Amino acid sequence: MSAFGGLASSRLDNELVKKDKLAVQVSAGVQSLAQAGMLLVRAIVRPGVDARVVEAKLDQMIADYLRTGPTADEVARVATTSVSGTIAGLESVGGFRGKAVTLASGELYSNDPGFYKKELNALATMTPDRARAAAQKWMSRPAYTLIVENGPREGYEEAKAVAAAPAAPAAAETPFKGTRGAMPGVADTGAALQFPQVTRSRLSNGIELVYAQRTAVPVTQVSMVFDAGTAADVADKLGTAGMTLSLIDEGTTTRDSIAMAEAKERLGMQMSGGNSADETTIGFGVPSANLNSATMLFADVLRNPAFDANELERVRGQVLAQIGQQRTNPQGLADMTLPPLLYGASSPYAKLAAGVGDPAAVAALKRDDLIAWRGAWLRPDKAKVFVVSDRPLAEVQRALNAALGDWRATGAAGTKSFPAQRATTTPKIVLVDRPNSPQSLIVAGQMTPVQAKSDTLAATTANTVLGSGFLSRINMDLREAKHWSYGARGGFQLMQNAVPYVINAPVQADKTGPAIASLREQINGFLGPNGVTPVEFRRSIDGETRQLAGTYETAGAVLGAMRSNDFLGRPDNYQATLPQKYRSLTTTQLDAAARAAIDPDRFVYVVVGDAGVVRPQLDGLGLPVEVVAATPPTAPVAAK
């Protein structure tokens, strides 16, 4: 099944997405249940394409697959990819592929917690004939087809409000009486943290290499970080950065997109990338036995991207579809509205409002635009490479030098310019009218005086009480006490040139105004007379320290910490010092840090909801209300 639809180079993807361009995304896989299972084939139809055409194509492809079965190369690529993912997943105790789930799944489905070993052996010895026989047995059965079409939302009956129960007085702690005996005590696991030693060196072309060794699994993870990000996007062509990153591994001057996907699968290599506000990251994970070949393939992507015209049109269609989805989604609409209010229109961070990109700009982008952005920003003089591997530094450095050591920057580098003065936010409510919205999304934000490279531990720890933890006051009030929200949270966003504090709270539409009033009440109380209590302090400090070992149990988590330390100017051993830092904090420090960072009277509120239902609730809150229409969801047709 994976050869048919589970790989990046699967037949479904190659035919429906890359060749015929009928679908934006396709997948196929087995959905397992305790007593049953199902084969699920899923296609997101490209805008303008008749779903019946895609359905007919799927039927044809399934019939062809049942007749021919997978090739030997497809079977080998499925086996390598699956084994690689299993090995990487077993580094973690929890998680979808972690030790606990793997053992429990074997026990549940096969009465054998070690069943994963048999699965790995079956994969390693799989033949095309056996795979075809399995496909003929299961994929030839009658199918159920479900087509979800665009259209107006049906009417929605608001959830009935649940009366809050009166708070019961806290019961005195007494020893448990029962057949179990007393509950065991909680060990102080946060007394020390074993964080690997980080070593810094350079490749032969000057790129800094930041390395740590983890030997739990034979996997290497590499992350190359460029000083770029959304702030470096082209002001009048927003979406250039994202399109460049989307296309950079869709073929090189020596491999087309299908050959590239197949090459990665033969190595068990997973490549990923993304743009944050300040940085662009491209990286990969691979079984360490294939490190040398993987670094060569990685270098080919970085140094020789083709930006093929056909791939550009295909990816353009996918991105325009994503933009259309963003502009119908409450979170997407809020994300488009808040940045200019927080940062000011002249700040590079205002570009965050474009999300995936400006549809007119994306529709008009040319290959030369992507080449120019890549040349200005994805270059060795703007790069650092972070590596966590079971292999020694010398071996990793040798592999990277062989692939990237002679990579030199050419042409002019890109620059980012931020205003000397931060924007001042006028407190108000901006209501984005989304008719028939079954709930409202409240996003509140303000700029803070916090500097990202300062010591923010006291402020972020204080925020576990106010907004970031499940037991935070914001969440417990709106979710547990009032039952108006499934979950609400707030937190600091640490960026190079700004640190906003942002709250996100989806709530019942008929409780939008009261929910904002409750948020303001909680924030004012916390920053005023009702600061951190001794119970909240002890719970926060214990929770933060005791979860450290789990937080940094995987190579991926260590890699993220190394990048974060570098970005925030922290020492490389910062995580190892955290238990002591947490234990030295006091309630006075937490209260002072929160009050210095957050001003309860400077929030701007973005509300996405049905103006007919929500607007009357906002008028009595004492803030000016501005109503704007939701951005039209229709994206223009891609330019040829």
Side-chain angles (χ1 to χ4, degrees), residues 354-599:
V356 180
D358 173 71
V362 169
L365 281 174
K366 302 292 191 296
R367 179 175 182 270
D368 288 346
D369 296 318
L370 310 186
I371 292 173
W373 194 86
R374 178 253 173 188
W377 296 100
L378 305 185
R379 41 192 290 141
D381 55 342
K382 285 187 170 290
K384 290 184 181 182
V385 61
F386 298 80
V387 180
V388 178
S389 176
D390 66 309
R391 298 297 174 90
L393 172 60
E395 183 177 339
V396 169
Q397 191 169 25
R398 186 164 55 250
L400 289 169
N401 267 327
L404 294 165
D406 61 346
W407 185 26
R408 306 291 175 184
T410 60
T415 59
K416 292 179 278 190
S417 178
F418 287 85
Q421 280 298 111
R422 292 185 175 182
T424 56
T425 304
T426 302
K428 62 179 177 179
I429 299 173
V430 178
L431 172 57
V432 182
D433 184 16
R434 186 174 183 265
N436 300 319
S437 190
Q439 67 176 9
S440 297
L441 174 63
I442 302 169
V443 178
Q446 68 169 258
M447 291 294 296
T448 74
V450 175
Q451 299 291 323
K453 292 190 176 182
S454 64
D455 184 356
T456 60
L457 189 64
T460 55
T461 305
N463 188 55
T464 62
V465 177
L466 176 62
S468 67
F470 180 84
L471 297 175
S472 69
R473 295 190 188 181
I474 287 174
N475 190 60
M476 293 299 287
D477 178 54
L478 291 182
R479 174 186 163 117
E480 299 299 308
K482 295 185 169 66
H483 311 289
W484 295 345
S485 174
Y486 186 75
R489 60 187 299 110
F492 296 95
Q493 298 179 359
L494 304 180
M495 293 146 58
Q496 279 183 348
N497 293 277
V499 180
Y501 185 87
V502 179
I503 296 170
N504 192 290
V507 299
Q508 288 181 203
D510 63 338
K511 298 298 182 183
T512 307
I516 293 177
S518 290
L519 283 171
R520 298 172 76 184
E521 180 182 357
Q522 290 297 324
I523 294 167
N524 276 286
F526 180 74
L527 299 175
N530 303 318
V532 179
T533 67
V535 171
E536 290 172 327
F537 175 78
R538 180 49 47 204
R539 184 175 65 214
S540 296
I541 298 301
D542 287 346
E544 293 297 318
T545 54
R546 288 169 178 167
Q547 71 182 1
L548 286 173
T551 299
Y552 301 111
E553 72 171 328
T554 67
V558 171
L559 189 71
M562 291 160 60
R563 286 175 43 191
S564 178
N565 290 341
D566 185 81
F567 177 74
L568 297 173
R570 294 169 174 166
D572 289 329
N573 69 339
Y574 179 76
Q575 278 65 33
T577 68
L578 275 175
Q580 181 181 354
K581 289 180 181 294
Y582 277 121
R583 295 299 184 191
S584 65
L585 291 172
T586 65
T587 54
T588 301
Q589 287 176 307
L590 300 194
D591 286 337
R595 291 163 185 164
I598 305 171
D599 185 339

Side-chain angles (χ1 to χ4, degrees), residues 54-135:
V54 177
E55 183 181 3
K57 181 71 174 180
L58 280 172
D59 289 339
Q60 174 198 329
M61 293 184 68
I62 291 173
D64 290 344
Y65 186 70
L66 292 179
R67 185 179 69 256
T68 64
T71 66
D73 184 57
E74 286 174 324
V75 170
R77 286 189 278 116
V78 169
T80 302
T81 301
S82 298
V83 170
S84 174
T86 299
I87 291 172
L90 289 173
E91 182 181 21
S92 171
V93 173
F96 177 68
R97 285 184 165 181
K99 297 182 182 73
V101 171
T102 299
L103 297 175
S105 296
E107 178 67 23
L108 176 64
Y109 299 128
S110 307
N111 296 317
D112 179 6
F115 186 72
Y116 73 96
K117 298 178 183 178
K118 298 175 183 177
E119 288 183 309
L120 292 176
N121 183 65
L123 276 170
T125 59
M126 182 60 62
T127 65
D129 287 342
R130 286 171 55 201
R132 184 170 66 128

Side-chain angles (χ1 to χ4, degrees), residues 192-256:
L193 174 66
Q194 298 299 318
F195 194 81
Q197 180 179 352
V198 176
T199 303
R200 289 179 178 257
S201 59
R202 291 190 181 272
L203 304 186
S204 54
N205 62 347
I207 294 179
E208 187 170 16
L209 168 60
V210 187
Y211 163 88
Q213 188 171 34
R214 288 289 294 263
T215 59
V217 291
V219 171
T220 296
Q221 295 198 35
V222 176
S223 183
M224 183 161 283
V225 179
F226 300 88
D227 179 17
T230 303
D233 208 352
V234 183
D236 58 349
K237 297 179 181 180
L238 295 178
T240 304
M243 282 284 287
T244 304
L245 211 58
S246 296
L247 273 162
I248 199 165
D249 68 339
E250 292 287 350
T252 67
T253 54
T254 58
R255 298 177 176 90
D256 64 17

Side-chain angles (χ1 to χ4, degrees), residues 23-43:
V24 174
Q25 181 181 337
V26 292
S27 62
V30 178
Q31 307 291 309
S32 297
L33 303 172
Q35 300 297 327
M38 65 178 176
L39 301 175
L40 179 64
V41 180
R42 180 172 178 266

